[in-house]
Amino acid sequence: MAIVKPLVIGDLIAKVPVIQGGMGVGVSLSSLAGAVAAEGGIGVISTAQIGYREADFDNDPVGANLRAVKVEIQKARQIAKEGILGVNIMVATRKYEDYVKAAVEAGIDLIISGAGLPMELPKLAGAAKTKLAPIVSSVKSAQVIMRYWWKKYNRLPDAVVIEGPLAGGHLGFHREQLENIEALHYDDEVKAIIDQVNETASEHETEIPVIMAGGVYTREDMEHYVEMGASGVQMATRFVTTYECDADDAYKQSYIDAEKEDIVIVQSPVGMPGRAILNPFMKKAKEGQIPHGKCHMCVSTCKPAETPYCITDALINAVKGKLDEALLFCGANAYRAEKLEHVKDIMDEFRPEAESR
């Protein structure tokens, strides 16, 4: 049986080896992240269109977002005064560097960054104490990041997050791979990434914990990856159906109501495949372009004139509970949700001292 220990990232020690995955737009803000951090895990705020509730969002989305980054971190700190807080910042975000600097200035403990390779993240974070964790999906991407960071910045990642093909939202895999996940034999890739990270860490006489994300829903899932050498797990979908999650109750109910066959791979308008709940909006999107207003400056891969619909609008509708006009991102296990639960109950299941179920 796997021995579950606290998650150690440099001088950060999470008593529960669980990182709550960042979920935009507005699904994981201060309420959820603060609750997870208060229970001994690492709570993560997504910076993706984080300022969508600000009065000037439509006119100055970036300005509204950067202001909200600091506000949400402060609010989460009030909930979890001694807890560990992180932010998830997508590399594909327009003005990426400004979001990194805003989070660092606000005193964030950890930056997790994917949706592209965060090659310049050490430069942007500078000499701050903030820990840096790139998201990777392959041995090659892990190698490229570690070599580049060391050569250019004399720095290695403080942790590495592996995001597998069962994750929610945008995915770092080709659609063909996602339609035949078993053929990927992804556990082999996970083991290879862990071995590569451990080898690099050993060469530099340090430790780099590896955290597994994508498809983790229960303690049993966590123990599977701990046995493979992971130091902890990142979960997002499991936390959506909590009372503390920042999304509207209707969004949470969409997970509870979903059947396994309702969860599908969709083509995001920003050019990446993603996993979502099939709903009237997704069916409508397949039929043709859905009119939208001016650009909200979300990600650099979006071409506003060509996009089939505005992903920002669709995700704001989701978090507000306007389900028939929403893109309902979710992980592969969303259908397993049966009821709302408290963050504390989930965290109790994953504590090192808890017994396997």
Side-chain angles (χ1 to χ4, degrees):
M1 193 173 87
I3 298 174
V4 178
K5 302 175 183 177
L7 173 58
V8 180
I9 305 176
D11 58 358
L12 302 176
I13 302 175
K15 294 176 183 176
V16 185
V18 170
I19 297 176
Q20 161 256 312
M23 295 173 281
V25 169
V27 178
S28 67
L29 299 177
S30 54
S31 175
L32 177 56
V36 172
E39 290 297 331
I42 299 179
V44 176
I45 294 166
S46 168
T47 66
Q49 304 296 52
I50 189 172
Y52 76 97
R53 294 177 295 192
E54 297 290 305
D56 59 345
F57 178 73
D58 285 338
N59 293 323
D60 181 18
V62 174
N65 288 336
L66 295 175
R67 192 165 61 247
V69 166
K70 298 182 179 182
V71 170
E72 290 297 325
I73 291 172
Q74 289 170 354
K75 286 165 65 177
R77 287 266 180 239
Q78 291 169 1
I79 298 170
K81 293 179 176 60
E82 303 299 321
I84 302 172
L85 292 172
V87 290
N88 181 293
I89 309 176
M90 297 188 297
V91 178
T93 304
R94 293 179 195 262
K95 305 287 185 180
Y96 172 73
E97 59 279 2
D98 293 341
Y99 289 84
V100 172
K101 290 174 182 175
V104 168
E105 286 171 11
I108 201 67
D109 300 310
L110 172 69
I111 293 175
I112 299 171
S113 194
L117 299 183
M119 305 304 279
E120 309 302 327
L121 184 55
K123 178 179 73 176
L124 299 173
K129 286 181 64 179
T130 303
K131 304 295 186 288
L132 308 179
I135 297 174
V136 303
S137 295
S138 67
V139 174
K140 185 177 181 181
S141 55
Q143 289 173 330
V144 167
I145 290 169
M146 290 189 295
R147 285 174 184 166
Y148 186 85
W149 282 20
W150 182 256
K151 184 177 180 181
K152 190 156 186 183
Y153 304 112
N154 198 35
R155 178 168 184 172
L156 292 170
D158 298 291
V160 171
V161 177
I162 302 173
E163 188 171 88
L166 299 177
H170 291 123
L171 301 163
F173 297 85
H174 297 299
R175 191 180 181 112
E176 300 75 37
Q177 293 175 309
L178 296 169
E179 288 170 349
N180 190 7
I181 289 173
E182 287 184 11
L184 285 174
H185 300 291
Y186 197 68
D187 271 5
D188 294 341
E189 190 75 13
V190 172
K191 190 71 176 72
I193 296 170
I194 293 172
D195 289 345
Q196 180 64 60
V197 173
N198 288 344
E199 182 182 321
T200 301
S202 179
E203 288 171 2
H204 296 277
E205 299 181 344
T206 187
E207 293 187 12
I208 305 173
V210 178
I211 295 100
M212 182 62 198
V216 179
Y217 200 82
T218 64
R219 184 187 178 93
E220 185 180 13
D221 298 331
M222 174 178 72
E223 290 184 353
H224 170 71
Y225 291 113
V226 169
E227 282 180 358
M228 290 175 62
S231 298
V233 293
Q234 177 176 287
M235 298 192 302
T237 293
R238 179 77 185 269
F239 286 111
V240 169
T241 49
T242 59
Y243 293 99
E244 295 86 356
C245 176
D246 295 87
D248 187 89
D249 285 348
Y251 181 86
K252 302 173 188 182
Q253 191 63 39
S254 72
Y255 279 42
I256 295 169
D257 293 341
E259 302 292 342
K260 190 172 184 178
E261 56 269 22
D262 296 327
I263 299 169
V264 297
I265 301 300
V266 301
Q267 191 62 31
S268 162
V270 299
M272 294 178 269
R275 180 172 280 108
I277 295 172
L278 187 62
N279 68 341
F281 179 81
M282 292 315 303
K283 293 174 182 175
K284 186 178 176 184
K286 282 183 179 180
E287 295 170 3
Q289 193 173 40
I290 297 173
H292 57 86
K294 65 180 180 179
C295 179
H296 296 297
M297 297 288 289
C298 61
V299 297
S300 55
T301 53
C302 182
K303 298 176 181 176
E306 300 172 17
T307 185
Y309 60 90
C310 174
I311 192 168
T312 290
D313 289 344
L315 292 174
I316 289 174
N317 286 336
V319 76
K320 288 183 174 180
K322 300 176 182 177
L323 302 190
D324 288 347
E325 303 166 58
L327 170 57
L328 303 171
F329 271 153
C330 69
N333 285 314
Y335 72 95
R336 294 172 69 176
E338 296 177 347
K339 64 183 189 304
L340 289 178
E341 52 189 337
H342 286 287
V343 163
K344 182 182 186 305
D345 296 327
I346 295 174
M347 299 302 283
D348 285 348
E349 179 185 331
F350 286 83
R351 293 186 195 283
E353 64 272 20
E355 292 184 10
S356 181
R357 298 183 179 184

